[in-house]
Structures are given as C-alpha cells and as structure tokens.
Amino acid sequence: MKILVTGGLGFIGSHTVVELQNKGYDVVIVDDLSNASIEVLDGIESITGKLPDFVKLDLREVAGVQKLFSDYKDIEGVIHFAASKAVGESVEKPLMYYENNIVPLINILKELDKKEKSNFIFSSSCTVYGQAAVMPITEVAPIQVALSPYGNTKQIGEEIITDVTKVSNISAVLLRYFNPIGAHESALIGELPLGVPQNLVPFITQTAIGLRKELSVFGDDYDTPDGTCVRDYIHVVDLAKAHVAALDRLIKEENSDKVETFNIGTGKGSSVLEVIKAFEKVSNTKLPYKMVDRREGDITEAYASTTKANEVLGWKAELSLEDALASAWKWEEKVRNS
Ligand code: WQD
C-alpha cells in the first residue's frame, strides 16, 4: 500500500513520513526542493531504517503528475503538504500563491478521480477561522474572509476538495493545524526555515544560538492576560501522528462523510511571553527580546477545541509545550554545530 506524500521533505511532511513508515506504510515522497533539502531523505532513513521512494517534481506540471500516477499505480492515499506557506509573502505575491497552492491540488485530484477509490488528506490551517469569536475553536466555527492570499488558498482548497468528493470516489480529511513547532527527538530532522524565520519558535532558537541579535515581540497591548498574543503550539510529531490517524480512518472506511474536518491542536493556549519563559527554562538560557509594535494581520488568540479529534479521530496530542521547545532547541544546536 503506497502513500504519496507531497512536500514530504518539508517540516511537517518529513515528520509525517517517519510516522507513516513507523506504522508500516510504504511512502513515495514528491518534492520540488524549492523549500526543502534532499538531505532530509537521509534523516528520515536514519530514523526509520527505511529509505522512502523520492520523485523530484513540480506538481504544477500536468504531464509530470500524470507520469507519477502511471509509475505508481498502487497509490492508495495522498497526504498533500506541498504549498507555499508564508502569510506575509502571499500578500506580496498573490499569483505565485494561487498557482503554487491550487494548480497542484487540481492536478492531483484529477489523477485520483480516475481511481476506483482513493483517500486524500489535506494540509489546512486554523487560519481559515481568522479571529474566531469563541475559544476554544471548534470545527463548526465560522470560516471568515481570509486575511491573506495564503489563508484564502487553504479555504479554496477545502472547497475544491468538498465539491470533488461529492461526485468522485475520493474520500478526504481536512486537517486544520494550529501552530506546529519542535523537531523529532533524534534531532535528525526538524524545521529549516530559509532566510529570516517568520515564525516565533525558529526565531527564538536562532536568537538563543546567537544567529539573531534579539527577538522582537510583536505587540504587548492585546486583550490577553499578559498583553501578548495567544496560540496553540503543537509538537510536530503529535501533528504527524494525526495524519496517520486520519489515513488509517479512511483506509479502514471508518469515515462517516466523504469529507471530514478536524482541528489539530493541543487545546491549550500559550502567550508569546509564556513561550519565551518556557524556552528559557528548557534551554537554561536567557533570551534577549524587546517589545515592538504589533505585526499586521496577527490575531489576538487561537486555540483548538480537541473534542472532535479526540473522540472521532481517536487522536490526542501527548507532548507538551516544553517537550516541543526542548526538541526545537536540541535541533537548532545540532544544525548549528554540525
Ligand atoms: C506566533 C506568535 C506573533 C514571530 C502562522 C500562520 C499559520 C501557520 C503558522 C502555516 C504571533 C508572535 C512571531 C516573531 C513574535 N502557518 N511573533 N515575534 O502567525 O500564529 O501562524 O504560522 O500554516 O497559518 O499564520 O505563527 O509563529 O508567525 O507567530 O512576537 O519574531 O508569535 O505575533 O503572536 P502565526 P507565528
């Protein structure tokens, strides 16, 4: 049973490949290497002892996607991570985001549509909720007008999948991630942001290792206990396991609808200052930071209701914020000292 993982050399993709292999799945990774390095393949093999098949491919190329599916006729499921994902960049380059995040999706769905039956797991995001009115955020919270082309591509992707599954043999699960952080405990794979990190945790670890001078905290005047934004930080390994749970569910035909949606978070909100404090504790370092103005487009708070994921999907986050931060730090030290 072959599982195709697009963007499988990326941060979440590579951790998911490890968990798929641990569960006995055979994996084919497709990646265009635009935002990942081929060395990640060695990291995966070092962890699991199994080298996944790898195909370098730009999924925008229809012929390339058709050849992929004719070369691998036994693909039973697809986990689709491949996409551009920088919120700020998407505002500057909307056409690149619509092309990168929608065309590959359509090309893959067209191939799956030719099969007797197939399973599709989509990498979505809590971004679709914007600033939800009620915490914790459930899967029936209203979808708000996207604040960025990136967020819009996730909403459009979900709508395309929903419409296609109604008239095809494709069953799908939409996983709406909260904030993925951390790295595999082996420190053989982790997050490798290109250039200046946009996200909080890689910026923290790069500051602590001395690559960055200090962390800028984007705003301390939000309506939260300590004035800084609150997010649901989930260990990337827990997130990876949620994908395996979703795939198992579809393969065993336990799904109750052609498309099911799950929020994947810990259910716990942490402020930026709480993350800094937790990081200083696990790394035994003092993190230099300063308060600056708010970042355009940031929401005040977001954390997941985990009831549906726990009770229906049968998945629950097991690792803590400290576990995730300690693994992120161990990975940063490994990358900088190797
Ligand atoms: C977290 C908090 C910042 C950097 C984004 C995407 C989301 C998903 C995860 C793809 C915020 C603060 C950050 C810094 C800071 N990506 N911060 N200084 O914005 O919640 O979510 O990444 O799917 O779709 O929107 O994550 O890590 O960028 O920010 O103070 O240098 O940390 O203001 O409150 P975010 P983030």
Side-chain angles (χ1 to χ4, degrees):
M1 188 176 298
K2 275 247 190 294
I3 304 301
L4 171 65
V5 180
T6 74
L9 293 184
F11 174 41
I12 305 169
S14 55
H15 287 83
T16 301
V17 169
V18 164
E19 299 309 325
L20 284 168
Q21 290 187 321
N22 288 345
K23 276 298 284 281
Y25 285 107
D26 275 343
V27 175
V28 184
I29 292 174
V30 164
D31 205 298
D32 65 2
L33 299 178
S34 63
N35 191 21
S37 90
I38 194 68
E39 278 81 56
V40 174
L41 212 48
D42 302 330
I44 293 169
E45 186 184 23
S46 306
I47 295 169
T48 64
K50 287 178 263 181
L51 183 67
D53 285 7
F54 173 70
V55 177
K56 183 176 184 301
L57 177 64
D58 180 343
L59 292 162
R60 295 172 299 177
E61 289 164 16
V62 180
V65 176
Q66 288 170 340
K67 182 176 183 311
L68 174 73
F69 279 86
S70 82
D71 290 349
Y72 288 97
K73 293 189 177 11
D74 55 348
I75 287 173
E76 304 255 340
V78 176
I79 304 183
H80 183 47
F81 293 103
S84 298
K85 61 147 205 150
V87 174
E89 183 188 46
S90 77
V91 175
E92 307 302 319
K93 302 175 183 171
L95 275 178
M96 175 181 122
Y97 270 69
Y98 287 113
E99 184 180 26
N100 287 353
N101 293 7
I102 304 298
V103 172
L105 172 65
I106 291 170
N107 289 343
I108 291 165
L109 291 174
K110 278 182 172 175
E111 293 308 309
L112 292 182
D113 198 22
K114 297 172 187 169
K115 288 175 168 292
E116 278 289 293
K117 178 186 176 315
S118 65
N119 305 295
F120 189 77
I121 313 284
F122 182 62
S123 166
S124 191
S125 169
C126 62
T127 300
V128 302
Y129 299 116
Q131 176 55 74
V134 177
M135 295 295 140
I137 303 173
T138 68
E139 287 81 355
V140 294
I143 303 299
Q144 309 222 32
V145 173
L147 295 172
S148 68
Y150 163 77
N152 204 23
T153 65
K154 291 301 179 185
Q155 291 182 17
I156 295 168
E158 291 193 357
E159 288 162 9
I160 291 171
I161 294 161
T162 302
D163 288 345
V164 167
T165 52
K166 283 180 188 141
V167 292
S168 75
N169 304 315
I170 303 169
S171 297
V173 169
L174 312 176
L175 295 180
R176 292 175 179 163
Y177 311 156
F178 281 69
N179 287 57
I181 62 169
H184 191 268
E185 61 185 3
S186 63
L188 289 166
I189 56 174
E191 194 168 6
L192 278 170
L194 296 180
V196 179
Q198 296 305 302
N199 295 132
L200 177 65
V201 171
F203 203 105
I204 285 177
T205 58
Q206 288 191 13
T207 302
I209 203 94
L211 262 182
R212 310 281 165 206
K213 183 167 157 298
E214 66 182 346
L215 170 74
S216 296
V217 176
F218 298 143
D220 63 351
D221 58 348
Y222 284 94
D223 182 15
T224 62
D226 64 19
T228 63
C229 297
V230 171
R231 296 288 186 275
D232 185 334
Y233 296 95
I234 177 169
H235 196 301
V236 65
V237 171
D238 275 330
L239 176 58
K241 289 178 177 173
H243 290 77
V244 181
L247 185 67
D248 286 345
R249 179 176 175 80
L250 290 182
I251 286 176
K252 293 179 200 153
E253 300 188 354
E254 291 169 353
N255 52 311
S256 48
D257 297 300
K258 290 296 292 297
V259 190
E260 294 182 310
T261 304
F262 297 97
N263 286 349
I264 304 299
T266 66
K268 179 178 175 299
S270 302
S271 73
V272 176
L273 288 178
E274 285 169 332
V275 172
I276 291 170
K277 207 179 277 75
F279 179 79
E280 290 182 327
K281 180 177 157 220
V282 299
S283 62
N284 198 21
T285 63
K286 189 88 189 84
L287 191 83
Y289 68 89
K290 64 179 176 184
M291 288 299 164
V292 300
D293 292 339
R294 294 183 174 193
R295 177 173 68 178
E296 184 68 26
D298 274 343
I299 58 170
T300 300
E301 71 173 343
Y303 53 92
S305 161
T306 55
T307 306
K308 190 177 175 189
N310 298 167
E311 294 176 5
V312 178
L313 184 57
W315 166 90
K316 187 173 173 52
E318 290 155 5
L319 298 164
S320 68
L321 175 68
E322 287 73 18
D323 294 329
L325 292 169
S327 66
W329 179 231
K330 183 179 172 190
W331 164 250
E332 186 69 63
E333 288 184 305
K334 170 91 183 305
V335 167
R336 302 303 160 202
N337 299 333
S338 60

